[in-house]
Amino acid sequence: MNVLSNKEILALGEALDDEYKSWATYDQVIKDFGQVRPFSNIRDAEARHIAALHELFTLYELDIPQNNWPGRVPRYAGLQQACLDAVSAEIENGEMYERLLLATQRSDILRVFRNLCDASQQRHLPAFQRCAQGGGRGDCGGGRRGRGFGAR
């Protein structure tokens, strides 16, 4: 019963690769601009997303692919563009999870995919939208520094 279909394996791999890419992109923004929000909070959330997917890989006895994205992600001249691109990436992430949810009926995989989709659409996307509207100042749209508006 623990044998996944090829479709399920591909869905898990796509989800993990996308989370790796997000983590690496947000990590690069932090390397370039410092511990700016919401990137710092959401990078930490992406690490938790990766860990949740790793648990599924382990449960189903699949080899865990390495993150090949560090050093291969966009670099930005300013936070404004980084915020705008992050908005687009989170929208695409939500669309991906909506599609991947159709790849399985397994409750554990569905739960993880739904949780990751919800985090992307309900927490990450609004945080990056605030960042973009605030001119990419790295403070979630102005003056709210320190209140933790990033992902939890």
Side-chain angles (χ1 to χ4, degrees):
M1 190 66 178
N2 275 348
V3 177
L4 297 179
S5 70
N6 192 49
K7 190 175 184 180
E8 290 169 323
I9 293 169
L10 290 173
L12 285 170
E14 184 177 348
L16 183 59
D17 188 62
D18 190 71
E19 298 296 341
Y20 279 160
K21 182 180 180 184
S22 296
W23 183 92
T25 300
Y26 304 155
D27 188 61
Q28 187 63 57
V29 170
I30 292 164
K31 287 177 182 174
D32 290 342
F33 299 103
Q35 290 290 327
V36 293
R37 289 186 181 190
F39 292 96
S40 57
N41 291 353
I42 295 176
R43 181 197 54 188
D44 293 345
E46 298 297 350
R48 291 188 297 275
H49 298 183
I50 290 166
L53 289 165
H54 281 185
E55 287 180 24
L56 290 173
F57 273 79
T58 300
L59 175 67
Y60 290 103
E61 299 178 355
L62 300 171
D63 292 334
I64 299 173
Q66 291 185 2
N67 184 352
N68 293 315
W69 285 104
R72 296 181 43 227
V73 295
R75 306 275 307 263
Y76 299 99
L79 281 174
Q80 177 71 27
Q81 191 59 53
C83 293
L84 290 169
D85 280 5
V87 167
S88 295
E90 293 295 342
I91 290 169
E92 290 171 10
N93 182 267
E95 292 169 351
M96 177 197 70
Y97 277 115
E98 290 297 326
R99 181 175 43 77
L100 295 182
L101 284 164
L102 302 175
T104 188
Q105 295 298 313
R106 295 173 189 269
S107 60
D108 54 350
I109 296 173
L110 289 171
R111 183 180 62 254
V112 170
F113 283 0
R114 284 186 186 117
N115 287 344
L116 300 184
C117 185
D118 288 348
S120 173
Q121 300 307 289
Q122 296 175 15
R123 292 187 292 279
H124 303 187
L125 178 58
F128 285 128
Q129 287 169 328
R130 287 189 299 270
C131 179
Q133 291 166 355
R137 291 187 297 251
D139 62 358
C140 300
R144 296 185 232 171
R145 198 176 304 265
R147 286 186 48 198
F149 283 90
R152 291 179 183 77

